[in-house]
Structure formats: C-alpha cells, structure tokens
Amino acid sequence: MTSATAQADRPLLTIEDVRRAAARLKGIAVRTPLLESEALNARVGGRLLVKAEPLQRTGSFKFRGAYNTISQVEAAAVVAYSSGNHAQGVALAARLLGKKATIVMPADAPRIKLENTKAMGAEVVTYDRFGESREAIGEEIVARTGAALVKPYDDSRIMAGQGTAGLEIAEQARELGVTIDAAAANSSGGGLIAGCGVALREFFPEIELHCAEPAGFDDHARSLSAGERLSNEPGRSSICDALLSPNPGELTFEINRRQLKSGLVVEEALVREAMRAAFRELKLVIEPGGAVALAAALSGILDCRGRTVAVVASGGNVDPALYAEILTEA
Amino acid sequence: MTSATAQADRPLLTIEDVRRAAARLKGIAVRTPLLESEALNARVGGRLLVKAEPLQRTGSFKFRGAYNTISQVEAAAVVAYSSGNHAQGVALAARLLGKKATIVMPADAPRIKLENTKAMGAEVVTYDRFGESREAIGEEIVARTGAALVKPYDDSRIMAGQGTAGLEIAEQARELGVTIDAAAANSSGGGLIAGCGVALREFFPEIELHCAEPAGFDDHARSLSAGERLSNEPGRSSICDALLSPNPGELTFEINRRQLKSGLVVEEALVREAMRAAFRELKLVIEPGGAVALAAALSGILDCRGRTVAVVASGGNVDPALYAEILTEA
C-alpha cells in the first residue's frame, strides 16, 4: 500500500469543508431526524439518539457525499463503482446536476439497489465481485469517456459531504440541550465516520468516537489496533452488503486513526435484532449494513449506560423478502 | 343521536386552540418530518408530501391530543378506551405528567399495542369488542375512581392536539416554498382531520380536504354525503384496526361536514400496497390504519396529478408477522 498523502500543513478535512458541503446541500438533502425511543433508552440505560439516514434521498447517507462532490465536478459525465448505496446517491446527484452517470455494480447487489439506480437514470454495468476488479472497470470507463470518477470514500469532497450528517447530529443535539458523550457510525471505507467525526469533535471536543463493522469485515478495528491499514480476507460474504470494502481507505484512515477510540465488531445475529428493534420502536426501516452501530449500542458493545450516545443508521435499502425473514425469525 | 352542541358564537375549534396546543407540545412531541420520494412523486404525477407520524412518540399522532388534553386535566388519574394508539398516547402522556392511567382496550388489539401500553406504565383492562361497550366500562371506572376520561376524539382539546400535525405540515410546506393544494388524513372518529383541517385552512384557504377510510368502515364518506352522522354495520372487521369507530364523532363531524370535500374509501389491497410503497420508497413503517390516505393518493383515488398533496401517515404500530406477510405477498 502507498503511504498516506496528507501534507503536514493542510489537514485532509476540516470543519470548514463540512460547513461548505452543508451549504451546498441546503434545501437539496434531507435534514434527517435524530430519533429516540423511551423503550430503547430504558434498554441501554442511557440516552440513545439515532440519526435516521434511511430517510435521506435515495435511502442512505451516500447522497450527501455524492452531491457535494459532483457539484464540484466539471466533466459532463461521472462514473462510480458501488455495492449499491453510493450508486443510488451518485445517480440521483448526477441527474439533479444535469450530468450523465455510469455505475459499476456487483451483479449480486440487492435487487432494490440495482433497480433504484437504473430508475434514477444511470447506466448500470455489472461485474463479478469475486473475479473482476471494479476499480479497473471504472478506470477503463474514465479513460475511454473522459467522465469524472466519483470515489465512494477516499476523497475529501466525499468525506465532507458525509460529514454533514454529523454536523446535523451536533446541531440537533444542541437543540435538545444535550452533550453527546460518544458516537458511532457504520464503516466500510470509513468516509462516514471520518466526516462525522470531524464535525462532532468541533461541537463536542471530548466525544468518544467509534466505527462499527460486521464480524468478518473488521478491517477498521484491526487496522486501528495495529496502527496501519489491514485488509479483510477475500472471498467472504456478509448480510451487510453495504460494508464489504476490503480495507480502510487511505485518506479516511489517516483521519480515523487519529480521531477514533476503537472499531466495534458486531455479530450478524445482533445486527438482525437491531433491525427488529428499529422496526418495533422507531418505525424505521434499516438495512443490515445500516444497523451495525445501532446493534453495538443495543447489545452493550458500545456502552451507553449513563451516557448520551449518537449512532448513525446509515441506510434502509433492503429487499423485502430478507426484511420479512428477519422480522419473523425471533 | 343527540344534536351537535356547537354554539353559534364560539367555534368548536380555532387556529388559536391549535397554536396553544403546539406551545404545550413544544419540546415534548416530535416535530415529525414531511417525507417525499422521487419515485412516489413520479408515480402520482405530482408532489406527494407524507407526514411521518409513525416517528411520533408512541408511534402515532395520538400522543399529541393525549398530551394536550391531560396537561389540562386536574384529576390525579385518567381513563381512556382505545384500540391501541390512543391507549399508548394516553399512557405516555400520563406518565410524563405524573398521573395514573387506566386503559380499556379490546382483547383482540394488536399485541404490540397491548404490550407497549403496559410497558408505559398504564393499567390495561381488556374487553370483548363484539359483546361489551368500552364506553360503559370507561364510565364505570370514572364513576368509581374519580379519574378524568380522556376521549379518543370528541373533545376540543384532543382535536387541537391532533391539529398540531397539520400546523407542522403547513409550516414545513412553507419552508419548502410550496402551496398545498389538497390534504387527506385517515379517520376513525375524525379528530385528526378535524384538527389538521383547521390548521391547514389557516395557511392555505383554498385547500381541498378529505378524510380517508377503509372499505367497510366508510361512515365518514357516507355521513358527509348524507349531511348527517351515519354508522357502520356492526360486527365487521378490518386489517385497519386503528380505524374501527362505529361513526363520526359528534363534535368532529360538526367541524368536518363544513371543511371536508369528501371521504375517500380505499380497498384493503390498496392499503397493503401503500404499506409496501412506504417500506420501499420512504423506509417508513406504517400500520394498515395509518396507510389509508397514502393509499388513496398512490392509487389515484385522491388525484395528485399536477398538484401538491399532503397525506398524514398516522401510525406505525403493526405486528411484525402481519408486516412480513404484507411485504412478501406481492
């Protein structure tokens, strides 16, 4: 792996970057609510605030970073590779900004994500997740068409956009009159928690920050412990289709290794239970990869006792058959 | 039926009543978001705004009216009869206000509603919906204990509280810079649309207002056509457990017959499809009785073409097994 490209005199991401992203997204992205339930608070023995990004346009936080990035792109077309949520975010942002979008998606992505991406007017190119390189396919399209590549996380513009979720959490907590003691967000490439962390630390300098990952895809947890970027074993699968990046991003890790206390690792059964809890107590549809940080809080892996803790529910694009299975298995 | 008790010189409900209720609920009730989706807008050929009351405390709008009423009650205890959502609203409002609550609920209410009501600290008394009178049971408890009866709809304080949802819709539409052409809310006793209508007409004097009911429980639709309160045939059942009142309320109808254009009647299959659409496009869990107005809009019964239409998704307390069945049946 190449070494980090951070320059000592210019941080990779500042609160001003996040604020400028928020200004670009104003009136375009949804200011999603910070949900709370008496039952869940009682269960965790603290105050649990859930940022409801399934209610974001395209059903996940990914729209934020995509729009912030594409609004700064000069090319007439964009390309992205994504397991699905970034795909939808890029597709809609490109349409709103009058640009053509081509999305490289795994052939086994959830049908709802493939269909929604096409429905938003993007051209979808599928690939075999176990045999082909999405990066290579994306770069070939860039070379051939002159389109701009919209990376899923390793880009300051993306991180700044995702960070607007954290900025809103901080503002909403202020409106509630509470100080957030700890926060966690699901991580695949690490862009969401990188951006949210920068924003949250600005408001709450003492905040304890974590990323959350499904078991088997704990590259962030291990990388944070080791102090260097480590990869997941290839060939694995997980119900959390949104969180399958092979390793932390280069730029995101440069930020996250400084600001995160640790990575939380959550077994699939707890993720499923968190999805049921969100159905029952929050009336919010969360996809598996969107429910890992919530699962960490509800299971006590992230200790909420006597504290105010914010978690990002990052997306809600789950196929109905899987959701029905999870609802009824308990 | 007794005649309406309206006095010519004092309207049953004014915008000032709703504003005072909003002041009491400020910081207590959730200002629920007004959701929107590209896909649903495209489907209806207009702009469809969905007030997400499943995200309200206790999972339905009923908390609004319950809190507004109980905050004005002097007795140390309250009693309510309810199929479930009013029960939960009263239970939580009473707890927050330091009062004891007894709730009379049908034995066949959804388990989630019975359990949640008990979990909020209320005493639950069940009755047979086909053989016993909930009103009689409630009145007996009032006579015996001195508790104050918190009616489900036929009370100006209840209507004013429910109207705060409409006030928020109007304010949120203003923030979006849009004029609402038409609005619809699910009706059982008619308190929600009575209150919301008063608020919405203040902001949008030309607005077209409707209530929405499931087939077989179309007492409002027929009553509005006839100009007098008509009842449903007894003994019927519906998937929309929240909307089973036998007839329009006396006070609510006095308001609604003046302000509603018509009652929309929706078959169960369309309600189920609306619940699936809300899962897929809004990531919002809506219970059957909460999805009727949305179903009217999505099916074209309420014409949205070229218009901006607001509907209230009024609750989300649905048992997981039923929800799973509905998600997978299409």
Side-chain angles (χ1 to χ4, degrees):
Chain A
M1 289 177 190
T2 56
S3 65
T5 56
Q7 294 168 9
D9 56 345
R10 165 68 175 114
L12 288 166
L13 186 69
T14 67
I15 184 68
E16 291 313 318
D17 295 326
V18 180
R19 289 194 195 281
R20 276 190 289 269
R24 289 187 196 100
L25 288 166
K26 190 171 165 63
I28 309 279
V30 175
R31 187 184 197 249
T32 57
L34 197 58
L35 303 177
E36 179 172 18
S37 116
E38 342 285 327
L40 297 185
N41 285 348
R43 179 167 159 185
V44 302
R47 189 162 186 183
L48 181 59
L49 305 172
V50 181
K51 182 65 170 168
E53 286 296 296
L55 304 179
Q56 187 51 263
R57 291 177 88 162
T58 72
S60 93
F61 74 97
K62 288 284 193 177
F63 175 73
R64 297 174 183 267
Y67 189 92
N68 185 51
T69 302
I70 299 174
S71 69
Q72 298 175 69
V73 159
E74 288 187 11
V78 294
V79 175
Y81 40 83
S82 162
S83 64
N85 281 335
H86 180 57
Q88 293 175 74
V90 169
L92 179 61
R95 203 186 71 195
L96 294 174
L97 291 160
K99 295 183 191 293
K100 174 174 161 42
T102 305
I103 316 284
V104 183
M105 297 180 74
D108 62 346
R111 209 178 51 165
I112 191 173
K113 295 182 178 178
L114 288 161
E115 287 176 355
N116 286 352
T117 306
K118 289 177 192 166
M120 282 164 202
E123 184 183 338
V124 171
V125 176
T126 57
Y127 74 101
D128 173 7
R129 204 159 52 77
F130 300 103
E132 297 179 272
S133 157
R134 65 184 194 176
E135 288 82 357
I137 296 171
E139 281 160 18
E140 186 277 323
I141 297 172
V142 167
R144 181 163 46 82
T145 67
L149 179 65
V150 183
K151 293 183 180 180
Y153 44 83
D154 233 357
D155 183 310
S156 293
R157 299 167 299 180
I158 292 286
M159 291 188 280
Q162 320 305 32
T164 61
L167 187 59
E168 290 175 9
I169 292 171
E171 292 167 349
Q172 290 165 319
R174 282 278 174 91
E175 290 163 16
L176 292 172
V178 298
T179 295
I180 300 179
D181 299 303
N186 314 303
S187 65
S188 185
L192 176 62
I193 189 64
C196 287
V198 166
L200 286 165
R201 290 174 70 197
E202 179 72 16
F203 285 70
F204 309 110
E206 305 300 316
I207 194 168
E208 174 190 305
L209 295 170
H210 301 269
C211 62
E213 298 168 302
F217 289 85
D218 58 349
D219 50 303
H220 275 89
R222 288 182 295 108
S223 299
L224 290 168
S225 292
E228 61 174 333
R229 291 163 66 217
L230 302 176
S231 295
N232 295 314
E233 251 176 58
R236 286 185 176 167
S237 196
S238 164
I239 190 178
C240 300
D241 62 89
L243 305 182
L244 306 187
S245 291
N247 46 52
E250 189 179 337
L251 305 185
T252 58
F253 188 67
E254 195 54 30
I255 295 170
N256 286 330
R257 69 181 181 84
R258 297 171 194 200
Q259 70 182 6
L260 301 194
K261 182 174 178 194
S262 74
L264 310 170
V265 184
V266 182
E267 296 293 333
E268 181 174 316
L270 296 175
V271 173
R272 289 172 172 251
E273 162 51 23
M275 292 171 68
R276 287 191 290 273
F279 166 85
R280 198 172 54 237
E281 306 297 349
L282 300 174
K283 316 305 175 192
L284 182 68
V285 177
I286 312 184
E287 64 182 278
V292 181
L294 176 63
L298 293 179
S299 64
I301 293 171
L302 173 55
D303 190 358
C304 301
R305 288 172 299 174
R307 305 203 292 176
T308 298
V309 175
V311 296
V312 182
S314 48
N317 292 310
V318 51
D319 279 334
L322 174 61
Y323 196 73
E325 176 198 312
I326 290 170
L327 280 193
T328 52
E329 74 191 349
Chain B
M1 290 175 191
T2 56
S3 65
T5 56
Q7 294 169 9
D9 56 346
R10 164 71 176 113
L12 288 166
L13 186 69
T14 68
I15 185 67
E16 291 313 319
D17 296 325
V18 180
R19 289 194 195 282
R20 276 190 290 269
R24 289 186 196 102
L25 289 167
K26 190 171 167 60
I28 308 280
V30 175
R31 188 184 196 248
T32 58
L34 197 58
L35 304 177
E36 178 171 17
S37 116
E38 340 286 327
L40 296 186
N41 284 349
R43 178 166 160 188
V44 303
R47 189 162 186 184
L48 181 58
L49 306 172
V50 181
K51 183 66 170 168
E53 285 297 296
L55 304 179
Q56 187 52 262
R57 290 177 87 161
T58 73
S60 93
F61 74 98
K62 289 284 194 178
F63 175 73
R64 297 174 183 269
Y67 190 92
N68 186 51
T69 302
I70 298 173
S71 69
Q72 298 174 69
V73 158
E74 289 187 10
V78 295
V79 175
Y81 40 84
S82 163
S83 62
N85 282 335
H86 180 56
Q88 293 175 74
V90 169
L92 179 61
R95 203 187 71 194
L96 294 174
L97 292 160
K99 295 182 192 292
K100 173 174 160 46
T102 306
I103 316 285
V104 183
M105 297 182 73
D108 63 346
R111 210 180 49 166
I112 190 173
K113 295 182 177 177
L114 288 162
E115 287 176 356
N116 287 352
T117 305
K118 288 177 193 168
M120 283 164 201
E123 182 182 340
V124 171
V125 176
T126 58
Y127 73 101
D128 172 7
R129 205 159 50 77
F130 300 104
E132 297 180 272
S133 157
R134 64 184 193 176
E135 288 83 356
I137 296 170
E139 282 160 18
E140 186 277 324
I141 296 171
V142 168
R144 182 162 46 81
T145 67
L149 179 66
V150 183
K151 293 182 179 180
Y153 43 84
D154 235 356
D155 182 310
S156 293
R157 298 167 298 180
I158 292 287
M159 291 189 281
Q162 321 304 33
T164 61
L167 186 60
E168 289 174 10
I169 292 171
E171 292 167 349
Q172 290 164 319
R174 281 278 174 91
E175 289 162 16
L176 292 172
V178 298
T179 295
I180 300 179
D181 300 303
N186 314 302
S187 66
S188 185
L192 176 62
I193 189 64
C196 288
V198 166
L200 286 165
R201 289 174 70 197
E202 178 72 15
F203 285 68
F204 309 111
E206 306 299 317
I207 194 169
E208 176 189 305
L209 296 170
H210 301 269
C211 62
E213 298 167 302
F217 289 84
D218 59 348
D219 49 305
H220 275 89
R222 290 182 293 107
S223 298
L224 290 167
S225 292
E228 61 174 333
R229 292 162 65 218
L230 303 176
S231 296
N232 295 313
E233 251 176 59
R236 286 184 176 167
S237 197
S238 165
I239 190 178
C240 300
D241 62 89
L243 305 181
L244 306 186
S245 290
N247 46 52
E250 189 180 337
L251 305 185
T252 58
F253 188 66
E254 193 57 29
I255 294 169
N256 286 330
R257 70 182 181 83
R258 295 170 194 202
Q259 71 181 7
L260 301 194
K261 183 175 178 194
S262 73
L264 310 170
V265 183
V266 181
E267 295 292 334
E268 181 174 314
L270 296 174
V271 173
R272 288 171 171 253
E273 161 52 22
M275 291 171 68
R276 286 191 291 272
F279 166 85
R280 198 172 54 238
E281 308 295 350
L282 301 174
K283 316 305 175 193
L284 181 68
V285 177
I286 311 183
E287 65 181 275
V292 181
L294 176 62
L298 293 179
S299 63
I301 292 171
L302 173 56
D303 190 357
C304 301
R305 288 173 299 177
R307 306 205 290 177
T308 298
V309 175
V311 296
V312 182
S314 48
N317 293 309
V318 52
D319 280 332
L322 174 62
Y323 196 72
E325 175 199 312
I326 290 170
L327 280 193
T328 53
E329 74 190 350

